[in-house]
Amino acid sequence: MEKFIIEGGKPLKGEIRVSGSKNATLPILAATLLTDGVCEIRNIPKLRDTLTMCKLLRSLGKTVEIGPNKVVISGSTNNHVADYKLVSTMRGSFCVLGPLLAKLGKAKVSMPGGCVIGVRPIDLHMKGIMALGVKADFDAGYVIATASKLKGAQMYLGGTFGSSVLATANVMMAASLAHGETIIESAACEPEIEDLGNFLSGMGAKIEGHGTPRIVINGVRKLNGISYKMGSDRIEAGTFLILAAAAKTDILVKDAHYNHLLALVDKLQSIGVDVQKDGADIRVRCKKTLKPGNIVTHPHPGFPTDLQAQYMALMAITPGVSIITDRVFPDRFMHIAELNRMGAQIRRDAGVAIVEGIKQLYGAPVMASDLRASAALVIAGLVAKGKTEIYRIYHLDRGYEDLDGKLTGIGAKVYREKE
Ligand code: EPZ
């Protein structure tokens, strides 16, 4: 295992480029199970999670050729069992359920289980899939599902914590090859769902409304291969915006979708950061002490839960009190203890984090607990005084492509060592 060493306080400046979107890539890779045609997908981020998904596709019968930031997938789906060893490492892999049912009429998919950001139920996935006529059971940690013919249906997919991104994706993929019309009400509106809808349309699916809470799909008999370029990762871009604000500097974030980040941009502007759209990029300028600001995370277009930890690192060094509430994953607060090891003054009270911002964090050994928590520790380490060691950075490698290389490019002193 490797750790990151960060020598904090180096002046950061320049341009940093955003890679292709991890969370759009994962369901799009799963969607290739729906066709026997060749799919070429470009601008794929080279990450542990995308490689795991490629392994899973191979185990289901596909031939996957991996090139630099590109994969070519061909061959037929011929195995319906998605094994525990692959699915348990990454929740995104659960979205092979819909495509397997649509293509083979049966699926045995390991349940993804909970994780460090909280309980991760699958009831909305099952509700949506079963509305399409699937019979499903649970046995020894697996979902075992069969459908002689998928039949379109109207369904409501809202849950206690709002819509579900991957449940919406599972149903969209299954419904694309179902008989008749499917209407998903309270569908997830995340840009990753819009991307998946565009990918499915390019394969020949009849789908409308993706990116809105009402998606209408008219099933077709067959889907084709496709050549497709992934859009950039809004969460990686948002992480860099927050970093620029924390480092009180000027950074051009290249290939960043401004429109996908409006909730974050609005919040940063309201606390005093200058954030401007600059063509296909975003320029962030921040030279002064910021005001504290509360956030509540919500499904898109609200403030994303995947930027909550990074924003907390920024508030930790912003004098004053800010209150952070996560309404999507109410227990996603593992980073509090680690930020406090660096001198932050954050306490958790039931479902909220109360941050008393201070002027300076101090380097310390800290432990990465999940992907976005790790990103928060990197931001904290870069602006802290002294040396920070972040252990278990395999979490970062799941979702940030070449992060150390990119940060070095803007002046940071970050390197890897064996733990
Ligand atoms: C996706 O997970 C992302 N993962 C997550 O990103 C992200 O945090 C999350 O969406 C929310 O934006 C991928 O795309 C691979 P949800 P997903 O189903 O789809 C509840 C990262 O760091 N829920 O939209 O699994 C759930 O508990 C990761 O990149 C149910 O109640 O999340 C949560 O409270 C972490 N029943 C809320 O819905 C269900 O059946 C939203 O979760 C499913 C979910």
Side-chain angles (χ1 to χ4, degrees):
M1 263 195 279
E2 290 181 316
K3 62 180 176 184
F4 257 14
I5 314 279
I6 302 180
E7 290 177 22
K10 303 282 175 229
L12 308 180
K13 205 168 172 49
E15 298 181 359
I16 194 161
R17 186 174 294 278
V18 181
S19 298
S21 163
K22 166 182 87 84
N23 285 348
T25 297
L26 298 176
I28 280 179
L29 286 173
T32 66
L33 293 166
L34 293 163
T35 179
D36 296 333
V38 177
C39 298
E40 181 197 72
I41 310 171
R42 289 165 283 120
N43 198 30
I44 287 217
K46 194 169 175 217
L47 300 169
R48 261 167 47 113
D49 277 10
T50 49
L51 292 174
T52 305
M53 195 60 160
C54 290
K55 270 192 211 161
L56 181 59
L57 294 182
R58 283 191 184 124
S59 77
L60 299 172
K62 290 291 198 181
T63 301
V64 184
E65 293 161 56
I66 303 177
N69 291 103
K70 175 175 128 173
V71 296
V72 179
I73 299 161
S74 56
S76 300
T77 310
N78 58 24
N79 173 24
H80 70 287
V81 184
D83 192 71
Y84 170 78
K85 284 200 203 82
L86 290 169
V87 180
S88 62
T89 61
M90 179 184 88
R91 188 175 171 89
S93 51
F94 192 67
C95 62
V96 299
L97 178 67
L100 287 177
L101 284 163
K103 196 73 173 92
L104 303 177
K106 58 184 177 178
K108 179 176 174 186
V109 180
S110 172
M111 286 162 70
C115 76
V116 75
I117 67 173
V119 181
R120 312 267 312 256
I122 53 167
D123 56 315
L124 295 172
H125 296 252
M126 299 317 295
K127 181 181 177 187
I129 292 289
M130 288 166 85
L132 300 176
V134 171
K135 303 249 176 303
D137 224 330
F138 300 97
D139 185 37
Y142 279 81
V143 173
I144 300 183
T146 51
S148 51
K149 194 159 188 56
L150 293 177
K151 210 162 167 303
Q154 182 164 26
M155 64 186 76
Y156 176 77
L157 272 196
T160 317
F161 301 103
S163 52
S164 162
V165 179
L166 292 177
T168 303
N170 249 329
V171 174
M172 283 165 75
M173 291 188 276
S176 294
L177 287 180
H179 183 74
E181 184 180 74
T182 296
I183 301 176
I184 310 175
E185 304 282 5
S186 199
C189 303
E190 270 67 4
E192 293 76 22
I193 290 295
E194 217 177 319
D195 229 346
L196 175 64
N198 294 339
F199 186 82
L200 291 169
S201 291
M203 294 170 91
K206 300 249 173 303
I207 178 160
E208 283 172 14
H210 39 295
T212 79
R214 186 172 204 262
I215 302 178
V216 181
I217 303 156
N218 274 289
V220 294
R221 290 191 44 223
K222 185 171 169 267
L223 294 173
N224 310 312
I226 180 175
S227 174
Y228 193 81
K229 181 171 178 221
M230 297 306 308
S232 69
D233 194 304
R234 68 188 168 105
I235 303 301
E236 186 192 9
T239 303
F240 295 150
L241 261 55
I242 295 172
L243 169 62
K248 306 284 175 291
T249 187
D250 225 339
I251 290 183
L252 185 69
V253 184
K254 304 276 294 175
D255 286 345
H257 278 296
Y258 187 86
N259 293 351
H260 290 172
L261 284 163
L262 289 179
L264 173 67
V265 167
D266 183 65
K267 177 49 68 179
L268 291 177
Q269 288 170 339
S270 75
I271 60 172
V273 187
D274 179 10
V275 188
Q276 305 285 340
K277 186 173 188 311
D278 186 348
D281 311 325
I282 301 178
R283 179 164 290 283
V284 197
R285 290 188 191 90
C286 182
K287 288 282 178 232
K288 52 180 186 193
T289 306
L290 302 173
K291 290 185 281 183
N294 302 342
I295 56 157
V296 180
T297 72
H298 286 293
H300 192 75
F303 193 100
T305 173
D306 289 346
L307 289 172
Q308 179 257 106
Q310 300 89 316
Y311 182 80
M312 191 183 292
L314 172 62
M315 287 302 98
I317 50 155
T318 303
V321 175
S322 28
I323 311 237
I324 295 182
T325 312
D326 199 318
R327 289 238 195 278
V328 179
F329 293 113
D331 291 322
R332 195 176 198 173
F333 285 131
M334 297 289 286
H335 38 283
I336 294 179
E338 301 306 303
L339 288 170
N340 284 349
R341 288 177 58 76
M342 300 177 72
Q345 303 276 316
I346 309 170
R347 63 182 194 280
R348 186 174 169 188
D349 188 357
V352 303
I354 301 158
V355 186
E356 285 179 50
I358 52 167
K359 284 217 170 106
Q360 180 72 64
L361 294 175
Y362 295 89
V366 287
M367 188 73 78
S369 56
D370 75 81
L371 172 56
R372 309 305 171 186
S374 321
L377 297 177
V378 171
I379 293 173
L382 289 168
V383 299
K385 195 168 180 160
K387 187 164 102 174
T388 296
E389 297 185 7
I390 307 180
Y391 289 82
R392 297 202 188 156
I393 53 152
Y394 58 85
H395 289 293
L396 276 172
D397 293 332
R398 289 186 56 185
Y400 288 91
E401 186 178 50
D402 186 26
L403 185 61
D404 32 344
K406 290 184 185 188
L407 293 173
T408 302
I410 56 168
K413 188 103 198 271
V414 185
Y415 48 95
R416 286 169 192 251
E417 274 182 8
K418 290 260 173 285
E419 275 192 14

